[in-house]
Amino acid sequence: MFGIMLVDDERHFIDELEDMIKGELPFTILGNCFNGITALNAVRDLNPDVLITDVLMPGMSGLELARKIRAIMPDLPIILMSDNPSYAVNGYELGVSGFLLKPLAKDKVHETLNRLLCV
């Protein structure tokens, strides 16, 4: 099993992702955070195999979180989520592993995570 951490300031997106992942993919949810600041500390403590984060959050954006994580864990796969596809370009420039468009589609979540298993 691979450990995954979820970050979003909107609880319903975290709940939705958990429902899409649990029992259907070889991932276990290590934890979730509601902002980038707590997520940065949790990543250090939990050492996940994958991080999925929203882009727009108070305190620290998902892009800033990705940038800071790249400095301390350059190989951690990061997947960004947003309802604005233009953030995908910014994410890929930072070296993220994937982008999920909100509202989330279960098949896209599975496809994105399964692609990480093949790398």
Side-chain angles (χ1 to χ4, degrees):
M1 287 293 239
F2 299 93
I4 192 165
M5 196 172 110
L6 308 175
V7 185
D8 199 312
D9 60 322
E10 296 181 69
R11 178 76 206 192
H12 70 275
F13 284 114
I14 288 177
D15 292 342
E16 187 178 1
L17 272 168
E18 286 181 354
D19 288 344
M20 290 178 183
I21 295 168
K22 281 184 180 175
E24 296 194 38
L25 295 171
F27 289 93
T28 185
I29 308 297
L30 295 177
N32 55 60
C33 297
F34 300 104
N35 65 64
I37 296 166
T38 57
L40 185 59
N41 292 325
V43 164
R44 290 179 181 135
D45 294 339
L46 297 174
N47 195 27
D49 298 301
V50 179
L51 172 72
I52 299 178
T53 182
D54 186 28
V55 171
L56 296 179
M57 297 181 292
M60 180 188 300
S61 74
L63 292 170
E64 186 178 348
L65 174 61
R67 194 173 299 112
K68 289 181 183 233
I69 287 174
R70 280 284 162 257
I72 58 172
M73 300 175 81
D75 297 328
L76 177 66
I78 300 171
I79 299 168
L80 295 179
M81 300 182 292
S82 180
D83 60 359
N84 184 341
S86 67
Y87 287 115
V89 173
N90 302 101
Y92 288 120
E93 288 173 352
L94 288 171
V96 301
S97 302
F99 184 85
L100 295 170
L101 189 61
K102 291 180 177 180
L104 299 171
K106 186 175 185 176
D107 62 327
K108 294 296 181 189
V109 171
H110 285 208
E111 176 185 313
T112 301
L113 288 172
N114 281 324
R115 189 176 63 243
L116 292 178
L117 297 176
C118 297
V119 174

